[in-house]
């Protein structure tokens, strides 16, 4: 198992380490537990070690044109210092991975999922070689010497303000800047955080009593409440952005010009619709887990659950899944099979818990 720079610190803090995407990662901490970490994040702030995720830079004068051939975002129109959630697509319009792209004056900073790291890098490097052979000026640099941390919760901004000794009231959601956390030069985005010295930054942040470490367990239940997809479960290379409810990630110019892999299929779906859609479900009875079957009122199989579990914030069972178009509207009553028993379910809008992004 690979280890993040904070591995020994996790052990010291009682982290329950488990294998995840080839890494040894904390799923929770012994003195807390998943439920406690989830609630603490909602009420105060938690620090997540996400250094296992793939980080890389795209360089060169043709970097925007190159990356726009692989993702659906309109990077050209992004201001410097802004970030965007996007997806890598394949020739059939399926999602290879979801990613966050940050645009700076001299490079593009890209973060994608640890479980897809090898696949993503192979794909980008193959396409980059083809691009370079046609005269394109572009290069790639993997960032493997920086920790990646996520400070989340209602107190996160105030804690960071104290550490940076700067007014961050104009630091909006999905923007990024370079800051000094005390004396440590860091790249900070409103969707996440990276520090050159992850161990020292971690100690500084955890110096505040209102901040606790949190592991993969709470990270998963929090993202489910937020209606966010987990690749390999809610997204895969057979699902298009339109089917996944991610049409909003496709830039306006890209909808006209295309130019990304799978554009023909994706753009036709924008106009003509899709056969299945990702939905949110409120479940009565026991929690519905991945692969639980979804039925309509006539007991016809119309879809399946892709993520599900209890919501600590709502004290209800929630799930995401895909259903046939026509059954995706909010308020639609359905059934979900759990332990061979059909339970009542209702389509609800996502996020399940309202977001509090600073916009």
């Amino acid at each position: 198992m690979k280890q993040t720079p904070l591995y020994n610190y996790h052990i010291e803090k009682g982290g329950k380490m488990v294998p995840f995407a080839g890494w040894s990662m904390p799923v929770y901490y012994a003195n807390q537990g998943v439920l406690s970490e989830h609630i603490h994040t909602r009420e105060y702030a938690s620090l997540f070690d996400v250094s296992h995720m793939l980080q890389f830079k795209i360089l060169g004068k043709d970097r925007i044109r190159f990356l726009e051939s692989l993702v659906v975002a309109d990077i050209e129109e992004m201001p410097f210092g802004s970030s965007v959630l996007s997806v890598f697509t394949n020739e059939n319009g399926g999602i290879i991975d979801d990613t966050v792209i940050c645009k700076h004056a001299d490079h593009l900073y890209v973060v994608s999922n640890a479980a897809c790291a090898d696949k993503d890098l192979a794909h980008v490097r193959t396409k980059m070689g083809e691009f370079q052979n046609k005269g394109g000026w572009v290069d790639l640099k993997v960032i493997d010497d920086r920790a990646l941390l996520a400070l989340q919760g209602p107190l996160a901004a105030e804690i960071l303000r104290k550490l940076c000794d700067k007014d961050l009231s104009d630091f909006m959601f999905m923007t990024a800047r370079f800051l000094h956390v005390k004396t440590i030069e860091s790249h900070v985005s409103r969707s996440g955080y990276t520090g050159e010295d992850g161990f020292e930054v971690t100690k500084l942040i955890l110096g505040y009593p209102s901040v606790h470490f949190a592991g993969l367990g709470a990270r998963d239940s929090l993202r489910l409440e937020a209606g966010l997809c987990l690749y390999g479960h809610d997204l895969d290379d057979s699902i298009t952005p339109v089917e996944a409810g991610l049409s909003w990630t496709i830039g306006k110019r890209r909808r006209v010009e295309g130019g990304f892999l799978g554009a023909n299929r994706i753009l036709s779906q924008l106009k003509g619709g899709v056969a299945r859609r990702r939905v949110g479900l409120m479940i009565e009875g026991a929690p519905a887990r991945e692969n639980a079957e979804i039925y309509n009122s006539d007991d016809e199989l119309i879809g399946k659950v892709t993520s599900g579990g209890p919501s600590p914030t709502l004290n209800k069972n929630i799930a995401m899944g895909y259903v046939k178009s026509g059954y995706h509207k909010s308020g639609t009553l359905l059934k979900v099979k759990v332990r061979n028993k059909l339970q009542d379910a209702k389509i609800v809008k996502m996020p399940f818990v309202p977001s509090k992004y600073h916009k």
Side-chain angles (χ1 to χ4, degrees), residues 232-250:
H233 300 263
D234 312 297
L235 302 175
D236 61 38
D237 58 12
S238 72
I239 297 170
T240 70
V242 185
E243 294 170 327
L246 298 175
S247 298
W248 57 271
T249 64
I250 308 170

Side-chain angles (χ1 to χ4, degrees), residues 47 50 109 147-151 160 181 184 186-189 191-197 201-202 205:
L47 187 66
V50 290
Y109 169 66
L148 182 62
L149 307 172
L151 178 61
L160 191 60
V181 179
I184 303 166
S186 307
H187 177 262
V188 183
S189 73
S191 58
Y193 168 90
T194 59
E196 184 170 350
D197 189 332
V201 170
T202 298
I205 295 174

Side-chain angles (χ1 to χ4, degrees), residues 125-178:
R125 283 172 168 154
T126 296
K127 295 301 179 183
M128 183 172 288
E130 296 172 1
F131 188 84
Q132 291 168 332
N133 289 338
K134 295 177 181 177
W137 286 48
V138 68
D139 200 3
L140 179 150
K141 181 182 185 300
V142 175
I143 302 171
D144 54 11
D145 60 348
R146 286 185 174 239
L148 182 62
L149 307 172
L151 178 61
Q152 296 179 310
L155 300 185
E158 176 60 17
I159 290 163
L160 191 60
R161 183 195 67 76
K162 291 177 180 177
L163 287 170
C164 297
D165 195 24
K166 277 183 173 291
D167 179 12
L168 301 177
S169 60
D170 64 343
F171 195 171
M172 300 302 177
F173 180 60
M174 296 307 282
T175 61
R177 59 185 66 173
F178 292 92

Side-chain angles (χ1 to χ4, degrees), residues 106-123:
D106 60 350
H107 71 277
L108 299 171
Y109 169 66
V110 183
V111 179
S112 59
N113 289 299
C116 299
D118 292 342
K119 177 180 70 171
D120 289 353
L121 275 179
H123 174 67

